[in-house]
Amino acid sequence: MSTKYTISDQELQAKIMAGQESAFSQLYDRYSPAISLYIKRFVNSSDLSEDLSQEVFIKMWQHRSKLEEVRSIKAYLFIMARNHTLNSLKKAMRSDVAMGEVINSFVEQRSCTEEELLAKEYLEYLEKALAALPSRTREIFKLCRQEGKSYDEVALALGISRNAVKNHMVSSMKVLSASVKKDLGISLGILLTVFLK
């Protein structure tokens, strides 16, 4: 059995942060095929997906100091891959309509193991982050964001004012947004759009 996979992602992450190119090479070998395949679902081109995959890893290496805030380097790579690919497509297309079609197509196809694992990791993260909120704030967030209820509906159901509901939501979004940005390196909007459909 090859020894290159006996080192954990966390160990590789620490070595990459220390500037060890051999650790970067091992991480590239470990995840570049999956990242390239993931990107191909957006661009439908093997050559382009390989180019974009390489750009993702180069970008990660150039900004390796930021890895200190990353909990899962695998999840971080997939998020970077999606963001970089969508940004590249947007520059190429210059059309929000075309971008919308690409994203919708991607969401419809979203069933591969990597994406399911990523979704599971982020949902677990979101649940932990929500658990840290006060119980009433957490309850209101779930009613509004996960069940799609309006502020008025929540206010009526809980017997509080609409303004109180809004204040709880502003508070929860502020706390969650800071946590998600710090731990995952993505915006709360991306997390909620992709994983709370």
Side-chain angles (χ1 to χ4, degrees):
M1 181 178 168
S2 172
T3 57
K4 68 180 179 180
Y5 291 103
T6 60
I7 300 176
S8 72
D9 283 2
Q10 288 78 11
E11 289 175 284
L12 285 179
Q13 185 171 336
K15 290 183 177 187
I16 288 167
M17 284 168 56
Q20 290 189 24
E21 291 184 15
S22 59
F24 172 75
S25 295
Q26 287 186 51
L27 189 79
Y28 182 83
D29 289 344
R30 188 174 294 185
Y31 288 120
S32 65
I35 293 292
S36 185
L37 192 64
Y38 177 72
I39 291 173
K40 190 180 177 185
R41 293 163 59 212
F42 290 90
V43 299
N44 201 27
S45 160
S46 296
D47 290 340
L48 184 55
S49 63
E50 284 179 21
D51 289 344
L52 289 169
S53 176
Q54 286 177 6
E55 288 170 13
V56 167
F57 281 92
I58 290 167
K59 197 173 178 183
M60 185 210 70
W61 174 255
Q62 289 171 339
H63 299 284
R64 58 190 178 277
S65 60
K66 292 182 181 178
L67 293 176
E68 189 176 355
E69 300 176 353
V70 173
R71 284 161 39 119
S72 164
I73 198 163
K74 177 185 177 184
Y76 181 68
L77 282 169
F78 276 96
I79 288 295
M80 273 188 74
R82 183 176 62 211
N83 292 349
H84 181 63
T85 303
L86 290 179
N87 286 336
S88 299
L89 285 171
K90 194 163 190 175
K91 284 177 190 171
M93 293 183 193
R94 300 284 180 201
S95 163
D96 288 337
V97 174
M99 272 306 296
E101 287 176 6
V102 169
I103 293 169
N104 287 336
S105 170
F106 164 70
V107 170
E108 285 167 13
Q109 296 174 35
R110 203 182 69 204
S111 62
C112 78
T113 306
E114 289 87 357
E115 185 68 17
E116 286 169 1
L117 285 172
L118 192 60
K120 186 169 180 288
E121 280 184 42
Y122 280 127
L123 283 173
E124 284 174 1
Y125 174 83
L126 189 62
E127 287 301 323
K128 284 179 186 172
L130 286 172
L133 296 173
S135 59
R136 177 48 65 98
T137 304
R138 182 168 65 249
E139 181 184 16
I140 289 170
F141 179 88
K142 288 189 173 184
L143 286 169
C144 291
R145 293 308 303 237
Q146 290 177 301
E147 295 183 24
K149 295 186 185 299
S150 69
Y151 286 3
D152 290 325
E153 287 172 327
V154 174
L156 188 64
L158 300 179
I160 58 176
S161 71
R162 185 185 189 281
N163 207 42
V165 173
K166 181 183 176 184
N167 288 340
H168 277 288
M169 283 302 292
V170 169
S171 172
S172 63
M173 295 295 273
K174 191 180 290 184
V175 171
L176 290 172
S177 185
S179 296
V180 169
K181 188 70 179 170
K182 178 179 179 295
D183 292 336
L184 307 179
I186 61 171
S187 74
L188 182 62
I190 290 175
L191 187 72
L192 295 176
T193 300
V194 177
F195 298 107
L196 292 184
K197 282 189 175 291

